[in-house]
Structures are given as C-alpha cells and as structure tokens.
Amino acid sequence: MRSTVSHIAKEAGVSPATVDRVLNGREGVRARTRDIVMEVATRLGYFGPVTSQNQSAIRMEFILPAGNNTFMLMLRKYLFEEAAAYGGINASLHLIEAFDPENLSHKLRELEDKTDGVALVALDHPIVREAINHLASTGIRVATLVSDISSVNKIGYVGIDNRASGRLAGLLMGRFLGDDKEHGTAIFIGSSAYRGHEEREMGFRSILAQDFPLLNIVEIIPVGEDRDRAYEAARRLLDTRSVGGIYNIGSGNQGIGRALRETKSGRDIVFIGHDLTDATRMMLLDRTMDAVIDQNPRVEAREAVKLLVSAVRGSKEPEYLPRLQVIFRENIPTY
C-alpha cells in the first residue's frame, strides 16, 4: 500500500500541509525541508515500489524544476512509475527551487559519487554545462530531458524537437488566421534559459517570416512559468493591443485562458499552446484553446529510464525524439 501524506509528515517531522506543498510542487518550503520530505516519500514508497538496497540496484536521480507546472508534475509521476516497472532501480527525485543555474549546478555537484545516472531538465548556462561535464567525468551517466543542452558529455536527449514544434505552432497560427490581411500575434515565453523555449520561439519566427509575412509578432512576454503572471500579462495585452493570435511557448496556459474568457473578444483570438493536461483538455473543449502541441510525458519517462539503465549496464540505446502530436477539440486522446 502506498504511503500516505500523514505517514510521510510524521517520518519527516513536518506538518501534512508542508508535505502536500512539496509533493504538489508548490512554493513556500525551504530547500532543505523539501529534500527531507522527498527523501522520506521516496523511501516510504510514495512514488512507487522501492527496490531494496543491494549492489546490483541502479541508483538513478531525476532533477526537475519545483513549482506547479502541470506537465512537470505529470513527468515526475511517470518517471517513478517507469523506474518501478523496470525493476532494479533505486530512484530519487530532486526539485530545484526557482530553477536557476546556480541551484541546478550545486545539486549536480552534490551527486558526485552518490549515483549511477542522472536525468535532468537542463538549463543552457555555462556553470550547468561545467557541472554536467564534471559529473560525467566521474563515470556518472547523464541524460537531458524535455529541454536539451549542447556541448556537454551526455549519453543522450529524450524530448521533442523543439524548433520543429515552434514551426508547427507557426504553421497552425498562419492557417487559422489566414493570409488575406495583417494580424498581430503575441508570444508568451516561460524562460529563455531553457534551450527548448528558445528553439520554439526561433521556429515560430522562422515560419512566420517565411510563409506568413502578414502575421506580425507585436509582443514577446516573459512569464517565468507562472500562471498568475501569465494571467496578468494576458489581461494587459488584451486591454492595450489588438491581437489575432497568442502562442504560449511554456506553462501558464491556465492564466492566459482565464484572461481570454474574461474578454469579450477572447473567443475570436487563436490560442495555441503546449502539453495536454486536464486544464488544456478543458480549454480545448470550451474552445478557449484552438490547438495543443503535445509531447507524451509517459513516453519520455520510459525512454529516459531505458536510456540511463542501458548506459549504466554498458550498452547503448539511441536517443529518442517523441512524435509531435497536435491535439484539437475533436481528437483529444484518453491518456
């Protein structure tokens, strides 16, 4: 039987409310307390069956951003499910508060001599690249997940082609809006520190310039992966500018959707975003969103675990780029 929040709280010496905040990626918990709660939750089997400690078990670490990004919460769940299903793995999760390069680099260096493999959502920054290369030089296998990083000693990348996904978003936007007159479009971006977000923006710009010259990008709005900030920015945009389309590169779909629902012309604005979640599913159904470009987190989790296990055991798996899928109101899958 899976451990309960109350059991974890008792073992960790914190309140159930604190455990709930940590397990659901909410802020307001000190980094040390978060680490203790995650260690206890993992040990007690909250994320799935725990392999007994023995020399043949593979030690595997997952490093993801803290916060309430629904896609990351789903990915976290699937990583542990896949590790448990694979067998012979002792998996641990590390959530990085305010997912910044210094915190991420520090966590990577802490793992030296303590693990066999690491899968991380990478930030493209010199100190992160240096930390990855140092970890790899000690024999630890490192794989990037969701957002890639170049010029590092890694065994592979598991995630979509983000530049292609940006071009796909641009193609959809152009076809939805048409090329008979000029339209203003706005880009909401989570963080340019993610290479994946930067690549999506590049792809979107590229196809608009190439195939849809009457679609103009009137504003690029950083929202820091925060749905409340996305809501406020969307309200300001809708109150001050006339736009025909919004492309959201990262998280914050719920905030943008809320702003569109509150605006009379919201239903006339084409809204394209990423990742099928319960929230984006409902926004497709009520026509707040027009299209969602999905990357299947269950598949990514499976491939990341398989890639690391193979590398640790001395064999080699090819990198895997999950297929891009466009979800409309009429083809929402059941997973």
Side-chain angles (χ1 to χ4, degrees), residues 42-90:
T42 302
R43 175 165 50 83
L44 295 180
Y46 180 83
F47 300 106
V50 180
T51 304
S52 59
Q53 294 286 346
N54 58 68
Q55 289 189 347
S56 64
I58 293 174
R59 299 167 299 172
M60 191 175 295
E61 319 295 319
F62 307 128
I63 305 179
L64 305 178
N68 59 6
N69 182 319
T70 306
F71 174 80
M72 291 297 175
L73 294 175
M74 293 166 60
L75 181 62
R76 181 195 311 180
K77 171 178 177 287
Y78 291 136
L79 282 167
F80 275 94
E81 286 184 1
E82 293 297 329
Y86 208 100
I89 297 172
N90 287 315

Side-chain angles (χ1 to χ4, degrees), residues 26-291:
R26 301 189 187 99
E27 297 181 355
V29 182
R30 289 183 300 176
R32 176 58 181 159
T33 302
R34 186 182 296 277
D35 287 345
I36 292 171
V37 170
M38 293 306 301
E39 186 277 326
V40 171
T42 302
R43 175 165 50 83
L44 295 180
Y46 180 83
F47 300 106
V50 180
T51 304
S52 59
Q53 294 286 346
N54 58 68
Q55 289 189 347
S56 64
I58 293 174
R59 299 167 299 172
M60 191 175 295
E61 319 295 319
F62 307 128
I63 305 179
L64 305 178
N68 59 6
N69 182 319
T70 306
F71 174 80
M72 291 297 175
L73 294 175
M74 293 166 60
L75 181 62
R76 181 195 311 180
K77 171 178 177 287
Y78 291 136
L79 282 167
F80 275 94
E81 286 184 1
E82 293 297 329
Y86 208 100
I89 297 172
N90 287 315
S92 298
L93 175 66
H94 307 274
L95 299 176
I96 304 301
E97 197 77 48
F99 206 62
D100 66 63
E102 287 191 5
N103 286 345
L104 180 54
S105 173
H106 179 70
K107 176 54 66 177
L108 286 166
R109 291 184 178 278
E110 276 187 349
L111 294 175
E112 184 177 349
D113 299 325
K114 296 179 181 177
T115 190
D116 301 304
V118 176
L120 77 153
V121 177
L123 292 174
D124 195 356
H125 191 280
I127 63 173
V128 175
R129 291 195 293 269
E130 185 64 24
I132 291 173
N133 285 332
H134 174 75
L135 205 60
S137 72
T138 68
I140 295 173
R141 293 350 190 238
V142 180
T144 53
L145 184 61
V146 179
S147 184
D148 198 13
I149 183 171
S150 62
S151 305
V152 293
N153 187 3
K154 64 180 187 291
I155 60 170
Y157 162 65
V158 177
I160 60 172
D161 181 333
N162 282 295
R163 193 170 190 277
S165 74
R167 287 182 61 86
L168 180 56
L171 175 65
L172 291 169
M173 187 69 74
R175 297 296 290 176
F176 272 124
L177 291 176
D179 56 4
D180 57 330
K181 64 177 182 179
E182 290 193 1
H183 295 278
T185 61
I187 298 175
F188 284 67
I189 184 168
S191 172
S192 58
Y194 289 117
R195 182 184 177 121
H197 286 195
E198 188 178 60
E199 289 172 341
R200 290 177 188 178
E201 181 189 346
M202 290 168 55
F204 188 79
R205 285 178 173 277
S206 173
I207 199 162
L208 258 60
Q210 175 184 326
D211 292 344
F212 304 102
L214 294 180
L215 269 62
N216 303 308
I217 299 171
V218 298
E219 199 162 345
I220 298 175
I221 305 170
V223 295
E225 302 289 87
D226 186 306
R227 69 183 60 160
D228 293 329
R229 189 171 166 187
Y231 165 73
E232 293 166 1
R235 281 306 304 255
R236 284 195 299 271
L237 172 74
L238 297 171
D239 289 343
T240 58
R241 284 187 179 274
S242 175
V243 294
I246 291 174
Y247 172 41
N248 184 31
I249 284 175
S251 65
N253 287 318
Q254 294 179 63
I256 298 169
R258 178 184 162 199
L260 287 169
R261 290 191 194 101
E262 294 175 355
T263 305
K264 279 188 176 182
S265 60
R267 292 287 291 272
D268 299 325
I269 296 172
V270 176
F271 178 23
I272 298 170
H274 286 263
D275 303 326
L276 185 66
T277 65
D278 288 343
T280 56
R281 184 189 302 268
M282 293 308 300
M283 283 189 278
L284 285 170
L285 289 171
D286 70 13
R287 300 186 187 276
T288 301
M289 292 190 82
D290 295 276

